Amino acid sequence: MSRVALVTGGSRGIGAAISVALKNAGYTVAANYAGNDEAAANFTAETGIKTYKWNVADYEASKAGIAQVEADLGPVDIVVANAGITRDAPFHKMTPEQWHQVIDTNLTGVFNTVHPVWSGMRDRKFGRVVVISSINGQKGQFGQVNYAATKAGDLGIVKSLAQEGARFGITANAICPGYIATEMVMAVPEKVRESIIAQIPTGRLGEPEEIARCVAFLVADDAAFVNGSTISANGGQFFV
Ligand SMILES: NC(=O)c1ccc[n+]([C@@H]2O[C@H](COP(=O)([O-])OP(=O)(O)OC[C@H]3O[C@@H](n4cnc5c(N)ncnc54)[C@H](OP(=O)(O)O)[C@@H]3O)[C@@H](O)[C@H]2O)c1
């Protein structure tokens, strides 16, 4: 039987590319999403991948959603915490609401996604956790104090989970994408986008499939020795 992979935010953007790549690699995939039913229905129609709606910021909803995935498809062996949002503002204008929305979704959402599957992974002595962080968690970004805090936090999460999970056959790794051509990035004004591209040595935005390729590498059974690492996929824009 093929392993079951859960991808949060797996119906659009980078997450959709990850869901498809994992399906093509032979996994049974469940794609979670927040509320865009139309995009999720189209995604299922196009790919045959089942979609599940819940808010990753809500622990009980995550637990119930994951229980439904496991009832339908079997135990989750691979989890990709990809769901994320931005609520940008320079710090002096950032509201507590903008801070909390991003922390709740991007950081607490990772806890809410991994925690319900962690015990099962320990019991079965196998697990793959991948968290989609960001270049801006590595280097910070003007107007993204909230977002950068969550994405830097992701790196602390995987480095700690890697130590806790290793003896149970569980790995935890992060990917830090640079700027990728998804709705999140295409929503920024064209002038800003052009100035971003000017900073990327490769001279273009990344493609969602280029991040999905990193995920497929990390979740494979024979990637067991890659644990606690961060893959930077950013076109050479930033080196750690
Ligand atoms: N795009 C980039 O350049 C870039 C760069 C670095 C890192 N990242 C990270 O990569 C990840 C994906 O980004 P993207 O650009 O692909 O985003 P996107 O195109 O905006 O897609 C976001 C996905 O996450 C889901 N989502 C959002 N909030 C959620 C919540 N509370 N609960 C469940 N699902 C939720 C959305 O569901 P709905 O369809 O229902 O809204 C959608 O499926 C994010 O973590 C982002 O921070 C992106």
Side-chain angles (χ1 to χ4, degrees), residues 101-141:
Q101 280 179 349
V102 172
I103 297 291
D104 291 353
T105 304
N106 297 13
L107 190 61
T108 308
V110 175
F111 175 86
N112 294 344
T113 299
V114 180
H115 194 260
V117 298
W118 188 253
S119 294
M121 288 178 172
R122 280 168 51 108
D123 292 346
R124 294 187 301 278
K125 301 276 187 292
F126 181 88
R128 294 284 181 269
V129 176
V130 178
V131 182
I132 307 301
S133 174
S134 169
I135 185 176
N136 292 344
Q138 297 173 298
K139 71 173 188 56
Q141 178 60 31

Side-chain angles (χ1 to χ4, degrees), residues 53 66 71 90 174 207:
K53 179 159 84 171
I66 290 167
E207 294 298 329

